[in-house]
Amino acid sequence: DQQVKQNSPSLSVQEGRISILNCDYTNSMFDYFLWYKKYPAEGPTFLISISSIKDKNEDGRFTVFLNKSAKHLSLHIVPSQPGDSAVYFCAASANSGAGSYQLTFGKGTKLSVIP
Amino acid sequence: EAGVAQSPRYKIIEKRQSVAFWCNPISGHATLYWYQQILGQGPKLLIQFQNNGVVDDSQLPKDRFSAERLKGVDSTLKIQPAKLEDSAVYLCASSSGTSGWETQYFGPGTRLLVL
């Protein structure tokens, strides 16, 4: 039962163009959503987040959009740069019922930005 | 600021052997997490500590996996005996709190191969 789904395993984009990475979730208890970026042989690094009370959050070239009714979020990168080439994980947070919040990750989307 | 440290970086063992991984979180971070990332999947939470107490270990296979965080700082994760399906990257992460809104900072991971 995959609660966070990233249906595109890979995405190729030309440098300078927009990259759009998508994520769907099924658990309506999720109230905080995050994107992590991962380079080979490194751990994931936090990129941007959004709470369920917002529908957009922007940080430089990165914008995350949340559509609660559709249980869908997306990450936009504009303009895309070769250094953005990495695996991007969507994650969602909910109270685990044990007094803590637990992150549930999608399978990731590998972004390749072509110079 | 030093990041999350993990060792070893790589480990190859035969099935039924035991193995241990070590994690040193970011200084001052009260919360420590161990994740398992199987190839092609997103990280899956195994156990969460706050200081030296276990907050959530609902997804830890307790018949073979154990973890401890002595003195609320360093942590070790042990597998005994290992199975082929334990081959994965084991990620340690830390955060300053447990509200679910604090950023989790990941270490580089330990890549385990069970033969």
Side-chain angles (χ1 to χ4, degrees):
Chain A
D1 175 30
Q2 204 177 355
Q3 299 185 62
V4 177
K5 299 177 184 178
Q6 294 178 257
N7 292 319
S8 298
S10 62
L11 175 68
S12 289
V13 172
Q14 207 72 28
E15 180 179 3
R17 305 295 290 269
I18 184 171
S19 295
I20 300 176
L21 294 91
N22 293 303
C23 178
D24 297 293
Y25 62 96
T26 57
N27 188 345
S28 57
M29 298 301 293
F30 288 142
D31 60 1
Y32 192 59
F33 303 89
L34 309 91
W35 286 93
Y36 278 81
K37 176 179 177 180
K38 185 181 183 304
Y39 292 118
E42 295 183 12
T45 55
F46 170 75
L47 188 59
I48 192 169
S49 63
I50 188 168
S51 76
S52 59
I53 61 173
K54 293 186 174 182
D55 55 18
K56 177 183 174 181
N57 188 27
E58 195 171 349
D59 183 3
R61 296 186 297 113
F62 303 91
T63 303
V64 57
F65 295 92
L66 175 63
N67 182 334
K68 282 186 65 180
S69 61
K71 294 190 173 67
H72 176 83
L73 64 155
S74 61
L75 174 68
H76 292 211
I77 306 173
V78 183
S80 300
Q81 300 174 353
D84 297 329
S85 297
V87 176
Y88 289 78
F89 290 99
C90 173
S93 175
N95 192 312
S96 67
S100 70
Y101 279 79
Q102 185 179 112
L103 281 185
T104 302
F105 285 83
K107 291 186 176 183
T109 296
K110 183 176 181 180
L111 174 65
S112 300
V113 180
I114 304 162
Chain B
E1 179 184 74
V4 177
Q6 290 188 247
S7 68
R9 293 296 308 274
Y10 305 93
K11 191 74 177 179
I12 301 174
I13 62 172
E14 295 188 349
K15 60 183 179 183
R16 292 188 289 273
Q17 286 187 323
S18 63
V19 64
F21 312 125
W22 173 83
C23 172
N24 182 236
I26 292 173
S27 177
H29 278 192
T31 309
L32 185 147
Y33 313 80
W34 282 102
Y35 288 86
Q36 178 192 59
Q37 185 178 11
I38 292 172
L39 187 65
Q41 306 287 320
K44 184 185 86 170
L45 180 69
L46 292 176
I47 188 168
Q48 178 180 344
F49 293 93
Q50 184 170 8
N51 297 312
N52 60 347
V54 175
V55 175
D56 187 349
D57 64 356
S58 57
Q59 298 192 87
L60 186 74
K62 298 180 187 64
D63 58 334
R64 298 185 300 106
F65 286 65
S66 64
E68 60 182 8
R69 189 183 184 197
L70 298 176
K71 300 180 182 178
V73 181
D74 293 8
S75 177
T76 56
L77 176 70
K78 297 179 181 177
I79 308 175
Q80 182 178 14
K83 293 185 175 181
L84 297 178
E85 58 261 35
D86 298 332
S87 295
V89 176
Y90 291 85
L91 294 161
C92 179
S94 69
S95 67
S96 57
T98 59
S99 74
W101 300 71
E102 293 93 3
T103 299
Q104 293 187 25
Y105 296 87
F106 285 82
T110 297
R111 186 176 297 274
L112 174 67
L113 179 60
V114 182
L115 301 175

